[in-house]
Amino acid sequence: MPAELGEPVARFIEHLASERRQARLTCNHYRRDLLRLACYLQAQAATWAALDSHDLRGYVAELSRQGLGGRSIARHLSAIRRFYDYLNREGLARNNPALGVRAPKAPRRLPRVADVDQLNELLDGAADDDPLTIRDRAMFELLYSSGLRVSELTGVDLNDVRLDEGEIRVFGKGGKERLLPVGRKALQALRRWLAQRPAMAVDGELAMFLSQHGRRLSARSVQLRLARWGQLHGADQRLYPHLLRHSFASHLLESSGDLRAVQELLGHADIATTQVYTHLDFQHLAKVYDQSHPRAQRRPRSRSRG
């Protein structure tokens, strides 16, 4: 690679590492993305100073043809944008061609949800008097009953749960407080866990859910225990906390059709975030339609024999 293409990249990465104190992984990503563009410029017999927005859009189109998704291309453009800010300050370029260029819009992935009947079977499971199993059942029932994030679950303290009223107080993103209903099954599981909890808790610990050492349980532990629960009880997909939250939202919307209520229960600031579940609901309806309506799917016409 010509020095006029490679050396500015090397100096920029050194600038990021030494002056900007960027993480090594970030520097590695920037180096890789910029050297990829440098190779493209070399093939075009172009220079950094000559690159304009039109040329950069051609490069973005090439990345897309090579199979890169919108998020990966956006990361490339972010690196290029910062690189050209540096080149302009150093007098090596006069413009920033990345300012007016956007990455292709990445398709929004629909969250996965669990089947209602299978989820009921998994949560019922087999009766077990082991304290950790009793704790796990209470956690998983609560995740599905109230649509909690795993961070909200692990942050619950004893005084946040009102069993008689069937309510729980949680603190979501930005410390925003929500008061949520708790279902009958979850209340039963919580009462059973609370009978076991004193024998495990260390003095002064306020957390509702405890590790076997008597301290507040971590989010990672919840993830591992839920995955293990799914394996033990024959789940046909990997279980994780956000799957239960997604399932809560989708099943509730499917039954009620009340998008605003689901938004409030999930603690979404923007209803657009909640609207993804309307697509899930439509998928369910479309599946039922395809399977049930006699004229939903075209069947191949049999040929008459003459």
Side-chain angles (χ1 to χ4, degrees):
M1 179 178 297
E4 63 179 359
L5 290 175
E7 288 183 3
V9 173
R11 292 199 297 270
F12 172 62
I13 299 302
E14 183 179 353
H15 163 76
L16 288 180
S18 60
E19 297 182 33
R20 295 293 182 177
R21 303 292 184 185
Q22 293 287 329
R24 180 184 300 177
L25 186 61
T26 300
C27 292
N28 289 341
H29 284 164
Y30 275 39
R31 179 186 294 108
R32 182 185 62 200
D33 293 346
L34 292 172
L35 288 179
R36 186 169 185 168
L37 175 56
C39 290
Y40 176 82
L41 293 180
Q42 183 180 5
Q44 303 292 322
T47 64
W48 295 118
L51 184 69
D52 59 22
S53 296
H54 176 76
D55 298 327
L56 190 54
R57 288 190 180 93
Y59 176 65
V60 167
E62 179 63 25
L63 293 178
S64 183
R65 283 193 293 271
Q66 292 174 7
L68 266 69
R71 291 181 181 177
S72 296
I73 293 175
R75 191 197 67 220
H76 273 68
L77 288 172
S78 177
I80 296 166
R81 199 172 295 116
R82 288 192 65 180
F83 178 54
Y84 267 90
D85 285 342
Y86 169 80
L87 292 181
N88 289 334
R89 287 195 301 269
E90 297 296 311
L92 300 175
R94 294 184 178 181
N95 66 348
N96 192 329
L99 291 179
V101 180
R102 293 186 178 183
K105 192 172 182 180
R108 189 168 188 178
R109 294 182 180 178
L110 293 179
R112 298 177 62 187
V113 298
D115 176 76
V116 175
D117 293 332
Q118 186 185 67
L119 198 50
N120 284 329
E121 291 178 6
L122 289 170
L123 289 174
D124 288 340
D128 197 325
D129 293 329
D130 172 57
L132 294 182
T133 303
I134 293 172
R135 178 206 64 189
D136 290 351
R137 189 189 303 278
M139 292 192 305
F140 306 153
E141 287 281 6
L142 189 55
L143 283 171
Y144 179 53
S145 166
S146 303
L148 304 188
R149 301 177 177 95
V150 66
S151 59
E152 294 169 346
L153 178 83
T154 57
V156 170
D157 289 336
L158 289 172
N159 60 1
D160 292 327
V161 180
R162 304 168 186 172
L163 295 176
D164 293 339
E165 290 84 2
E167 296 174 344
I168 184 171
R169 179 180 61 179
V170 299
F171 295 90
K173 293 182 177 180
K176 185 178 179 181
E177 179 180 336
R178 305 201 308 284
L179 191 64
L180 301 172
V182 181
R184 177 177 56 86
K185 290 277 191 179
L187 289 172
Q188 291 174 352
L190 282 169
R191 287 190 175 98
R192 195 171 179 214
W193 159 241
L194 286 171
Q196 299 285 333
R197 184 188 177 281
M200 292 178 59
V202 300
D203 291 341
E205 180 56 69
L206 299 178
M208 170 62 74
F209 297 110
L210 308 173
S211 71
Q212 56 187 333
H213 301 296
R215 298 291 186 185
R216 187 181 300 273
L217 197 65
S218 69
R220 181 58 177 161
S221 294
V222 177
Q223 293 166 351
L224 293 173
R225 294 293 293 189
L226 181 54
R228 181 173 180 271
W229 185 282
Q231 292 171 352
L232 290 175
H233 294 88
D236 61 4
Q237 60 182 308
R238 183 177 67 86
L239 297 187
Y240 49 94
H242 231 62
L243 176 69
L244 299 188
R245 177 171 160 88
H246 290 322
S247 300
F248 159 85
S250 181
H251 297 164
L252 190 61
L253 184 61
E254 186 178 313
S255 300
S256 70
D258 194 332
L259 188 64
R260 286 289 181 184
V262 174
Q263 177 194 5
E264 290 296 321
L265 291 168
L266 291 174
H268 287 161
D270 187 348
I271 199 168
T273 309
T274 318
Q275 283 175 330
V276 66
Y277 297 105
T278 64
H279 299 300
L280 291 173
D281 188 37
F282 178 79
Q283 284 186 341
H284 169 75
L285 294 175
K287 183 178 180 181
V288 171
Y289 178 85
D290 284 341
Q291 292 176 345
S292 306
H293 196 286
R295 298 175 71 84
Q297 295 178 329
R298 289 185 179 178
R299 293 176 175 82
R301 184 180 298 175
S302 59
R303 294 180 180 179
S304 59
R305 295 180 180 179

